[in-house]
Amino acid sequence: MARPRSITDEQIVAAAHEVFLEQGFSATTAAVARRAGVSEGTLFNRFPTKEDLFMAAIGLSNYGRWRPQLLAQVGQGEVRGNLERAVISVLEEAEVLMPKLMVMFSRGHDPGHNPLLQRLDDPIRSDADALERYLQAEAQRGRVRPLDASVTALAMMGALTHYIHREQMLPPMGHESIERGRFVRGLLDVMWPGMSP
């Protein structure tokens, strides 16, 4: 008798990732199992619920790696350069995150109807919090002028969110795309005079 083929959790998650991005949360576990080449029983032995499989497949917990890197830069290097690198990282991660969030929200925006939202960190709020903490720490060191770090961080995140929406979520409709680096440099050209000590 032939030994049954073994499949790793990573292979199941990769198959689920493809299926959920193609079909949204409405994709069936049968479709995921077919793509992975396993039975639905195998899926549920590894992932107790469809929601657990979805969360593993979408991988929303892998976002925000730039936050501790920025906070580790407090008092080091040039503040504007640190901010530019952090903001570029936000945009790079958003390219991967946005399609996943769209799949997540395809189930609805009401946490009562979409319990997956209760398991999701608020990435924009968490990004703004990290920027705020960084700006507060640099202001305490005199490396940026005294400012309302919360408002400054939210203003920066607002501009980034609009850029992400414009460049990634809307088809080009009579507007020219703005290269990521150009956008970040231009944004900081506008904001830096209000932050510079």
Side-chain angles (χ1 to χ4, degrees):
M1 180 187 325
R3 263 178 88 177
R5 180 175 85 102
S6 64
I7 186 167
T8 65
D9 286 354
E10 291 77 20
Q11 290 169 309
I12 292 172
V13 166
H17 182 263
E18 291 172 3
V19 172
F20 284 129
L21 283 181
E22 290 169 7
Q23 301 175 27
F25 186 79
S26 63
T28 64
T29 53
V32 173
R34 273 193 305 279
R35 181 78 53 98
V38 299
S39 70
E40 280 188 275
T42 299
L43 288 183
F44 289 117
N45 282 336
R46 311 270 183 97
F47 301 92
T49 68
K50 181 179 175 182
E51 286 80 7
D52 291 328
L53 177 61
F54 182 82
M55 291 301 284
I58 295 303
L60 293 174
S61 61
N62 297 329
Y63 180 75
R65 294 178 304 274
W66 66 271
R67 296 175 197 147
Q69 294 169 358
L70 176 64
L71 295 172
Q73 295 297 309
V74 169
Q76 300 177 26
E78 295 180 8
V79 174
R80 180 177 169 149
N82 293 341
L83 287 170
E84 283 186 19
R85 285 186 296 281
V87 170
I88 288 282
S89 294
V90 170
L91 296 178
E92 288 171 348
E93 288 187 356
E95 284 182 13
V96 175
L97 180 68
M98 287 312 298
K100 296 175 180 184
L101 284 175
M102 297 305 289
V103 171
M104 173 79 72
F105 287 122
S106 71
R107 196 162 180 211
H109 291 133
D110 178 3
H113 176 71
N114 186 352
L116 294 170
L117 294 177
Q118 297 170 3
R119 298 169 68 175
L120 175 66
D121 177 30
D122 180 347
I124 294 172
R125 178 73 254 172
S126 297
D127 286 351
D129 289 347
L131 286 170
E132 178 181 348
R133 286 193 311 274
Y134 175 75
L135 291 170
Q136 285 173 337
E138 293 292 23
Q140 289 170 353
R141 287 166 176 76
R143 289 169 38 94
V144 297
R145 73 176 48 182
L147 48 74
D148 187 327
S150 180
V151 170
T152 305
L154 287 175
M156 192 173 293
M157 287 309 303
L160 294 176
T161 302
H162 180 76
Y163 175 83
I164 291 163
H165 184 264
R166 180 181 188 268
E167 296 298 322
Q168 294 179 21
M169 296 174 61
L170 295 175
M173 296 183 295
H175 72 268
E176 184 179 320
S177 181
I178 299 174
E179 187 269 327
R180 183 187 312 139
R182 175 181 159 217
F183 174 77
V184 170
R185 287 186 301 277
L187 175 63
L188 284 167
D189 283 348
V190 170
M191 295 191 79
W192 183 246
M195 291 188 265
S196 179

